[in-house]
Amino acid sequence: MGKNSLLNDPMVLRELIMDHYKYPHNHGLKKCDAYCSCHLAADSCIDDITVETKIEDGKIQDVRFDGEACTISTASTSMLSDLLMGKTVEQAKIIMQNYYDMLDGKEYDEDILEEAVAMKNVYKQANRINCALIGWRALNQLIEESEAKEDGKHE
């Protein structure tokens, strides 16, 4: 059985989500000047997280997060941190667009989403979509801010 066929097994998807929730990767903030941070909180649930990133020379060097969040938010942000660390900003944008498409029920490339494909059924529960997006929105905002700073340097 190939890797992708395992990601069609609901129990494997659930185990991936629970593992990232119980043992989140890249959890804890650095709180230093080399990092930019974004705090987002949900109106409708407990999700209240801060995402930090270190972006240098167009590359995402590190992604960290902390806060109080539900299973879906914690797991998806943990997966995000693994997936985008070490990627260029351009690669990250492509991955993030595929993730957004997946949560919109549109076509997407599951291979580039790796473990984040575990969130593929979230779109069926409209009230959980924001949970699966909060960390991704925070990082997207940080990427946009980083690009705006870079554009300002080149003017």
Side-chain angles (χ1 to χ4, degrees):
M1 202 186 296
K3 182 180 176 186
N4 288 345
S5 57
L6 284 176
L7 294 177
N8 288 319
D9 181 335
M11 290 309 294
V12 171
L13 298 178
R14 180 171 158 56
E15 285 174 27
L16 264 173
I17 292 168
M18 291 309 296
D19 186 59
H20 276 274
Y21 173 66
K22 290 178 184 174
Y23 311 103
H25 304 182
N26 308 303
H27 195 250
L29 303 175
K30 295 286 186 178
K31 296 183 182 176
C32 70
D33 292 342
Y35 287 72
C36 296
S37 69
C38 179
H39 171 257
L40 291 179
D43 297 333
S44 58
C45 67
I46 66 165
D47 296 339
D48 186 334
I49 65 167
T50 299
V51 175
E52 279 184 339
T53 190
K54 181 179 179 183
I55 301 174
E56 289 179 345
D57 302 320
K59 194 170 187 179
I60 299 170
Q61 304 291 334
D62 196 8
V63 179
R64 313 285 308 171
F65 75 101
D66 203 358
E68 186 175 352
C70 71
T71 303
I72 297 295
S73 294
T74 300
S76 70
T77 306
S78 175
M79 291 170 181
L80 157 89
S81 70
D82 284 345
L83 190 54
L84 298 185
M85 204 177 313
K87 300 287 193 297
T88 66
V89 168
E90 292 310 311
Q91 289 169 322
K93 287 180 181 180
I94 293 166
I95 292 167
M96 292 171 86
Q97 187 58 57
N98 274 273
Y99 185 78
Y100 299 149
D101 288 346
M102 178 181 72
L103 291 180
D104 280 342
K106 297 177 183 171
E107 281 190 40
Y108 63 94
D109 181 348
E110 73 176 25
D111 290 335
I112 68 169
L113 292 179
E114 297 177 14
E115 286 186 345
V117 81
M119 298 292 166
K120 70 182 181 179
N121 292 318
V122 170
Y123 80 94
K124 296 175 184 175
Q125 301 171 322
N127 61 327
R128 305 300 280 162
I129 292 172
N130 283 331
C131 302
L133 285 174
I134 193 165
W136 294 72
R137 285 182 177 143
L139 187 63
N140 188 58
Q141 192 172 317
L142 291 168
I143 287 171
E144 288 176 1
E145 289 171 12
S146 170
E147 289 182 319
K149 281 183 198 170
E150 285 300 309
D151 287 348
K153 286 180 187 176
H154 299 292
E155 289 180 5

